[in-house]
């Protein structure tokens, strides 16, 4: 029953979170001109490592920021 309930409620919860990200974007139009790069948080041999696959930083785009590709200058 738990899994069935989870599968029923999960899509609505995801939609709620997406709506919250959209609200952040709407409340912060200044994000439209900002480019960001999500990093792992440590420096190693004078370089940085990019944090994971695209879905891990999708929220940045949802709030209106432009995500810089790791090889983008």
């Amino acid at each position: 029953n738990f899994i069935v309930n989870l599968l029923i409620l999960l899509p609505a919860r995801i939609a709620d979170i997406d709506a919250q990200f959209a609200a952040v974007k709407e409340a912060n139009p200044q994000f439209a001109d900002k480019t960001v790069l999500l990093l792992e948080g440590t420096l190693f041999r004078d370089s940085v490592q990019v944090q994971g696959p695209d879905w891990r930083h999708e929220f940045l785009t949802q709030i209106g920021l432009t995500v810089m590709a790791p090889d983008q200058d």
Side-chain angles (χ1 to χ4, degrees), residues 3-51:
I3 293 175
V4 172
N5 288 335
L6 183 64
L7 293 174
I8 292 170
L9 297 175
L10 193 57
R13 183 65 184 134
I14 291 170
D16 290 343
I17 293 168
D18 285 343
Q20 291 174 15
F21 285 136
V24 170
K25 180 179 180 177
E26 187 175 321
N28 296 280
Q30 70 273 19
F31 287 175
D33 298 327
K34 305 293 185 221
T35 301
V36 297
L37 178 62
L38 184 61
L39 305 174
E40 189 170 341
T42 60
L43 296 175
F44 180 73
R45 296 185 181 165
D46 295 327
S47 66
V48 295
Q49 296 183 9
V50 175
Q51 180 80 340

Side-chain angles (χ1 to χ4, degrees), residues 37 48 57 62-63 65 67:
L37 178 62
V48 295
H57 52 75
Q62 288 178 308
I63 65 171
L65 297 166
V67 178

